[in-house]
Amino acid sequence: MNPISNLIDRINKENLWDREIQLERNEYLKIKGSIDTNIYLVINGSLRIFVIDEYEEHTIRFGYKDNLIASLDSFLNEQPSDFYIQALKKTTLKSINKKKYISFIESTVENKKIWLSILESFVLQQMERERDILTSSPVERYHRVLKRSPQLFQEIPNKYIASYLRMTPETLSRIKKS
């Protein structure tokens, strides 16, 4: 079982979720400048995490069914974040607050190992993504993401996938057709 599924099963077993949240399409879960120390489980729907510079939006990550999602910087340091989290379609989430979550993680050695494994995986994914953006062609980036996360192309509109891959929607469309 993968670490995230294992962690979700353990949280479910102990019924630790604080609340359920319904978001409409385009509604924000979190906006720039806010502090959010919750971790969310996507029950259904999809979301994107992104930043805005003076010229455009840059999609950093996605969340869809059975994914955990968070404004990780704010969760970890309890400071305002530059990230936005937005529902891409009607979305249902469950949340757990940091205090309860940390207590749960620290309750067993196995929980700590699972959490460490998830964080390590996340860091490695981010490093791979940065390397891809800096050194790979758009076609290579597309194929790597398609291989790693095929569900992404079923759940997420192309314009956001293009932003994530650092290409225009037109370039993504041409690559998909070829």
Side-chain angles (χ1 to χ4, degrees), residues 118-135:
I118 290 169
L119 290 176
E120 287 171 349
S121 175
F122 179 74
V123 168
L124 292 172
Q125 288 171 18
Q126 286 301 111
M127 290 172 68
E128 178 182 323
R129 181 166 183 274
E130 285 181 39
R131 185 181 61 248
D132 278 354
I133 289 169
L134 294 171
T135 63

Side-chain angles (χ1 to χ4, degrees), residues 1-13:
M1 180 182 287
N2 86 38
I4 292 175
S5 297
N6 192 349
L7 184 72
I8 291 167
D9 286 348
R10 288 167 175 265
I11 294 171
N12 284 339
K13 206 174 286 181

